[in-house]
Amino acid sequence: VDKRIRHAGLAAKVMTAAEAAELIDHGMTIGMSGFTGAGYPKSVPQALAARMVATHERDEPFRVRVLTGASTAPELDGALARADGIDLRLPYQSDPELRARINRGEMDYLDIHLSHVAQYAWFGFFGKIDLAVIEATAIMPDGSLMASSSVGNNKTWLDLADKVIVEVNHWQPLEMDGMHDIYYGTALPPHRKPIPLLKPSDRIGEPYLRLDPDKVIAVVETNAPDRNSAFAPLDDCSRQIAGNLIEFFRHEIARGRLDKQLLPLQSGVGNIANAVLAGLREGGFSGLNAFTEVIQDGMLDLLEHDVLSVASATSFSLSPAGIERFLDKIDFFRKRIILRTQEISNHPELVRRLGCIAMNGMVEADIYGNINSTHVAGTSIINGIGGSGDFARNGFLSCFLTPSTAKNGAVSCIVPMVSHVDHTEHDVSVIVTEQGLADLRGLSPRQRAKVVIERCAHPSYRPMLQDYFERALHNSRGKHTPHLLQEALSWHQRFLDSGDMRP
Ligand code: 0RQ
């Protein structure tokens, strides 16, 4: 028996990616696997892109709607975007080619909370799902799938799609068997029941993704790595941001508001998140848990050093070095890592019950604590809201982290008014920059403005912000959240006009 394709009927459906792509039609809505550059189909989307290019050369239309877990990679988002083959894309993305097309207005992009995607699909909000294209590590004897390096929305796409194409990737380690936990207890309102998860280590589901073999129209074998971009070495700014946050945790422990094992951590992706994780290790923390979306290198490190006991997520996002380390000690990690569907990893009910400490990056914050996570100067999207909102609104603490300036100081990440709002002032408890930390809990808007300016703004922008706030205090009609409406977004306009927010 083949180690990867253990179901005879499905073994008979093996074909090339080009043959599988022939089965895809213009106008389809396709649910694809993939979350933060892990577990996405690697060859069918490229073959589909080639077909699209050929079809467009004949002056015929060929575009599809692409629904995923989160961001994928050049072989999926990049290839389909370059072929001008995406009509609508949702949710999170981070591909440069796709981003450019979205920002040129050449295609539609729907940026929604990651925990909402599955339920919206079940509610019928996205219409019919014609096809699922899902990467798997193996096909089990009963036709179910051993998921690969991400679970994302795969359960939902497999259940809802009329037809399924499976990519079996020989690069994905079979030793991942047992790491996944696929929960089948979700129902639609009014029939929902509590989700029986009380701690991050709980397993509440099944190891494999159910699949009706009759729906499978093609099985394609691949042997290709995930995107696995390398991380930049930690810079001083990230270390300072991390240090400020960890000092705050210590303060909270001393005040008795947090236990020394903290509460389940949710950590965004990127350099600052990795610096926070490194800081927890250096700070001597142990026995912590993570209830998060993505396992990045920093988490492996914490697991190996018993700083973290367990990490629950929906995906990996490892560097090449991280992958080697993971494979080296896979038996160790299998006992400590659980990959769930993203509707569970990000579920507001669970984030609220567990009391997660949410730590996410941002583009800018305003003096009142509103957060922009997605847009440059209000109109150009970077990536998307991802899971930050799922955790920010429902967590025990909601922390947002950024350097105080961007673009070599030409941009202040603390502004009078955010140019786009992802997380409102009501959802934010802590803002951290390399300058310091603003604890916004229990503060009114005017009190918040004072601490945000004093603690978080860069010295080269602090006087400008103080001046704005003082004039707003005097001249604003309403004094609850004082603003000078004519001026509130003028910093962004100045940046667009001159490349610098400073006059
Ligand atoms: O652009 O590389 O062209 O210079 O934004 O900024 O500093 O590299 O920071 O990689 O941590 O990303 C918010 C985008 C931060 C990310 C964001 C420019 C800056 C640079 C990236 P360049 P950095 P990071 C879990 C949670 C939303 C999703 C989320 C993100 C680029 O954290 O996408 O939280 N978050 N998910 O120069 C203009 C500013 C700017 C700015 C930064 N104020 N104005 N440009 N930049 N600040 C994961 C998932 O949900 C899957």
Side-chain angles (χ1 to χ4, degrees):
V1 189
D2 188 310
K3 279 208 307 225
R4 297 271 173 173
I5 306 176
R6 305 176 197 172
H7 182 281
L10 293 181
K13 294 184 183 174
V14 172
M15 62 181 80
T16 66
E19 287 165 340
E22 288 293 328
L23 306 173
I24 303 176
D25 299 322
H26 167 65
M28 276 186 164
T29 296
I30 310 179
M32 299 218 194
S33 63
F35 198 108
T36 50
Y40 53 92
K42 291 163 180 80
S43 72
V44 172
Q46 295 192 80
L48 174 61
R51 255 198 88 199
M52 286 165 159
V53 170
T55 309
H56 293 159
E57 276 164 6
R58 297 195 302 270
D59 262 346
E60 290 165 30
F62 199 156
R63 282 181 130 199
V64 296
R65 289 152 47 102
V66 180
L67 288 47
T68 63
S71 54
T72 66
E75 305 98 295
L76 197 170
D77 278 327
L80 292 178
R82 212 164 294 117
D84 191 20
I86 306 183
D87 182 42
L88 173 128
R89 172 74 169 79
L90 71 86
Y92 193 78
Q93 57 76 39
S94 67
D95 185 81
E97 179 73 31
L98 187 64
R99 179 188 298 136
R101 283 187 181 261
I102 295 167
N103 284 325
R104 287 199 300 266
E106 294 168 0
M107 55 170 282
D108 288 307
Y109 172 49
L110 186 45
D111 183 26
I112 55 182
H113 297 300
L114 293 183
S115 77
H116 282 178
V117 180
Q119 66 160 2
Y120 283 4
W122 285 100
F123 295 164
F125 293 179
F126 306 138
K128 191 160 80 77
I129 311 293
D130 300 298
L131 175 70
V133 183
I134 306 293
E135 183 183 90
T137 301
I139 300 177
M140 309 311 284
D142 64 353
S144 62
L145 301 182
M146 187 194 300
S148 71
S149 44
S150 68
V151 178
N153 286 315
N154 294 356
K155 168 193 168 286
T156 293
W157 304 148
L158 290 169
D159 284 355
L160 284 180
D162 291 345
K163 299 171 183 170
V164 173
I165 296 175
V166 181
E167 278 197 11
V168 176
N169 186 354
H170 290 251
W171 177 84
Q172 297 284 3
L174 280 168
E175 293 82 356
M176 265 193 307
D177 195 358
M179 234 176 224
H180 311 99
D181 186 61
I182 318 295
Y183 181 60
Y184 279 90
T186 51
L188 300 187
H191 305 293
R192 281 188 169 154
K193 301 221 166 67
I195 297 166
L197 187 147
L198 301 178
K199 31 184 211 316
S201 58
D202 284 350
R203 287 180 172 275
I204 58 173
E206 306 172 9
Y208 307 120
L209 291 154
R210 296 179 193 168
L211 171 57
D212 171 4
D214 290 342
K215 293 211 288 193
V216 178
I217 55 169
V219 175
V220 176
E221 293 186 85
T222 63
N223 191 346
D226 280 331
R227 184 184 69 196
N228 10 306
S229 15
F231 286 108
L234 297 186
D235 55 41
D236 288 345
C237 180
S238 302
R239 281 183 190 282
Q240 265 166 332
I241 294 170
N244 292 339
L245 186 61
I246 288 163
E247 188 189 315
F248 169 75
F249 290 158
R250 289 196 188 293
H251 175 89
E252 289 298 294
I253 293 167
R255 288 286 190 89
R257 284 192 288 247
L258 272 176
D259 187 77
K260 66 181 187 337
Q261 279 162 355
L262 303 178
L263 280 164
L265 304 171
Q266 178 261 338
S267 159
V269 285
N271 221 332
I272 300 177
N274 261 328
V276 172
L277 298 178
L280 288 169
R281 182 182 159 197
E282 286 154 17
F285 285 86
S286 71
L288 314 183
N289 289 314
F291 193 78
T292 188
E293 296 150 289
V294 179
I295 310 262
Q296 44 178 5
D297 289 28
M299 291 235 172
L300 294 188
D301 202 62
L302 297 197
L303 286 165
E304 276 188 288
H305 292 89
D306 276 336
V307 181
L308 272 185
S309 308
V310 77
S312 160
T314 190
S315 173
F316 286 104
S317 183
L318 298 174
S319 71
I323 290 190
E324 264 178 45
R325 190 164 171 193
F326 172 68
L327 292 177
D328 251 16
K329 296 185 81 173
I330 198 157
D331 290 328
F332 172 90
F333 288 121
R334 195 186 309 106
K335 296 191 194 101
R336 290 161 179 84
I337 292 175
I338 303 162
L339 292 188
R340 310 180 190 280
T341 60
Q342 76 192 59
E343 63 185 322
I344 296 300
S345 69
N346 285 35
H347 203 294
E349 173 188 333
L350 304 179
V351 173
R352 177 75 72 98
R353 178 183 301 144
L354 297 172
C356 289
I357 298 181
M359 303 178 283
N360 290 295
M362 62 167 157
V363 175
E364 60 183 9
D366 68 27
I367 55 177
Y368 297 115
N370 298 289
I371 303 289
N372 169 8
S373 292
T374 54
H375 285 70
V376 173
T379 60
S380 299
I381 195 142
I382 303 181
N383 303 320
I385 193 166
S388 55
D390 296 322
F391 287 90
R393 174 157 289 178
N394 302 294
F396 174 85
L397 277 175
S398 176
C399 313
F400 283 94
L401 324 165
T402 180
S404 63
T405 62
K407 309 287 173 207
N408 290 320
V411 167
S412 174
C413 298
I414 308 295
V415 290
M417 182 185 268
V418 284
S419 58
H420 175 93
V421 193
D422 291 291
H423 312 287
T424 74
E425 53 170 340
H426 315 286
D427 300 332
V428 180
S429 30
V430 171
I431 294 177
V432 196
T433 70
E434 81 290 354
Q435 300 295 321
L437 180 144
D439 177 2
L440 307 181
R441 292 172 300 170
L443 302 186
S444 72
R446 287 179 303 178
Q447 292 171 324
R448 289 200 293 264
K450 280 201 187 105
V451 292
V452 170
I453 295 169
E454 273 166 26
R455 304 275 162 79
C456 296
H458 191 271
S460 62
Y461 287 97
R462 201 176 292 142
M464 281 169 66
L465 286 164
Q466 251 147 6
D467 170 61
Y468 174 87
F469 179 55
E470 275 157 29
R471 285 184 294 112
L473 276 175
H474 286 104
N475 301 330
S476 176
R477 163 96 64 98
K479 301 281 197 278
H480 177 60
T481 308
H483 263 307
L484 305 170
L485 294 181
Q486 300 269 23
E487 203 178 312
L489 295 174
S490 63
W491 295 29
H492 298 88
Q493 189 60 51
R494 205 179 297 127
F495 167 67
L496 291 176
D497 294 341
S498 72
D500 202 308
M501 279 187 172
R502 291 162 295 198

